[in-house]
Amino acid sequence: MTKAKSSVSTQRAQKSNSGAARKRALARSAYSADEIREIFRRFSIQRPEPKGELNHTNPFTLLVAVALSAQATDVGVNKATKDLFAVADTPQKMVDLGEERLISYIRTIGLYRNKAKNVIALSKRLISDFGGEVPKTRDELVTLPGVGRKTANVVMSMAFGEATIAVDTHIFRIANRTGLAPGKTPDAVEATLEKIIPADYLFHAHHWLILHGRYCCKARKPDCLACVIADICKAAEKTSEMPAPLVPLA
């Protein structure tokens, strides 16, 4: 087989495997491909340009803010980092600040001692291994102290424009509650969502789902009256009153 033919065969196999993987992912979802497209079409109308709610000034401060946000609210993190980032917005400035002074800024955030230790450690690693710059790949990001897959995905999306799905508590809850992408682990949910969300909606999907979970499909009681997908939603757990469709089916 010639090199050209081999390349074509490989591309066909990749497309076939991708199509098969998507079919398997759709089989796990409670929704058809058309219903999933409609869900994200409505999200796109509701919030055409969704934004993350963690304040930051550059990729480094974003990385620190996301690392600090574990088991904490964005509002709480923003209050703490407002003064912190005014004095330490680069890895070197953070190292120069030191762990104890860093703690004085983030003491109101849960697990602040461990987070301070990780922020100083990751700052040192950025300086020693990456020239003081935040790396752009997931494989490199997760080598940093205190940085897991979710944090890496957020940074890749918000700082570098990559289409990623960072499965936080809101996305994990929605994916399982609605049957959109059932999974026992965040990684399983992420893998399914990446395959079933239409490509033209994938970039903003992360923020649409987080904001939907934060303000509408809440943990204790979903606000179905305010939900733009209430008539499509297949969740068993719904409030008793249901609205008429807010946006007609395409």
Side-chain angles (χ1 to χ4, degrees):
M1 183 181 292
T2 66
K3 187 173 182 180
K5 287 183 178 179
S6 176
S7 177
V8 170
S9 297
T10 300
Q11 290 175 3
R12 286 176 178 172
Q14 289 175 339
K15 288 182 179 179
S16 176
N17 290 338
S18 176
R22 185 166 188 269
K23 285 181 179 179
R24 289 194 296 271
L26 282 169
R28 291 192 290 272
S29 177
Y31 302 81
S32 68
D34 288 343
E35 288 172 325
I36 293 169
R37 171 166 286 279
E38 178 62 15
I39 286 170
F40 287 94
R41 184 186 77 87
R42 295 188 190 186
F43 285 157
S44 73
I45 293 171
Q46 182 186 39
R47 293 187 176 94
E49 292 293 332
K51 302 294 183 183
E53 296 183 327
L54 285 172
N55 295 336
H56 61 282
T57 58
N58 56 36
F60 173 70
T61 55
L62 173 63
L63 174 62
V64 172
V66 179
L68 293 176
S69 70
Q71 300 182 46
T73 66
D74 287 0
V75 172
V77 172
N78 288 338
K79 286 181 179 178
T81 57
K82 180 180 179 181
D83 292 333
L84 172 62
F85 292 156
V87 298
D89 60 354
T90 69
Q92 188 61 60
K93 289 179 182 178
M94 192 66 74
V95 171
D96 292 343
L97 186 68
E99 189 174 323
E100 288 306 313
R101 289 180 63 198
L102 171 56
I103 286 175
S104 71
Y105 285 97
I106 66 171
R107 192 179 295 275
T108 55
I109 301 174
L111 307 175
Y112 64 88
R113 288 194 179 278
N114 190 55
K115 290 177 180 179
K117 187 176 296 184
N118 283 334
V119 168
I120 296 299
L122 73 83
S123 297
K124 290 179 178 178
R125 183 75 66 79
L126 289 174
I127 294 168
S128 64
D129 293 1
F130 300 101
E133 300 294 327
V134 176
K136 296 183 179 182
T137 70
R138 184 184 293 114
D139 287 346
E140 291 174 314
L141 283 164
V142 297
T143 66
L144 299 172
V147 176
R149 187 179 180 89
K150 188 197 79 171
T151 296
N153 281 346
V154 173
V155 172
M156 289 168 63
S157 172
M158 293 179 64
F160 304 124
E162 295 289 333
T164 61
I165 301 291
V167 179
D168 70 346
T169 182
H170 298 297
I171 295 182
F172 189 74
R173 179 179 68 254
I174 291 172
N176 282 285
R177 172 188 277 170
T178 66
L180 179 62
K184 293 183 178 180
T185 66
D187 286 358
V189 169
E190 176 190 336
T192 299
L193 287 173
E194 285 184 340
K195 292 180 178 65
I196 66 173
I197 296 172
D200 49 333
Y201 290 127
L202 188 58
F203 180 70
H204 287 314
H206 161 75
H207 284 126
W208 283 327
L209 289 169
I210 286 178
L211 295 173
H212 187 64
R214 184 172 292 162
Y215 298 113
C216 185
C217 197
K218 303 171 188 176
R220 293 188 178 181
K221 185 179 181 182
D223 188 1
C224 296
L225 282 172
C227 180
V228 296
I229 62 167
D231 59 307
I232 302 176
C233 178
K234 299 180 182 181
E237 178 188 2
K238 289 185 180 181
T239 49
S240 56
E241 295 183 64
M242 295 294 295
L246 300 182
V247 184
L249 285 167

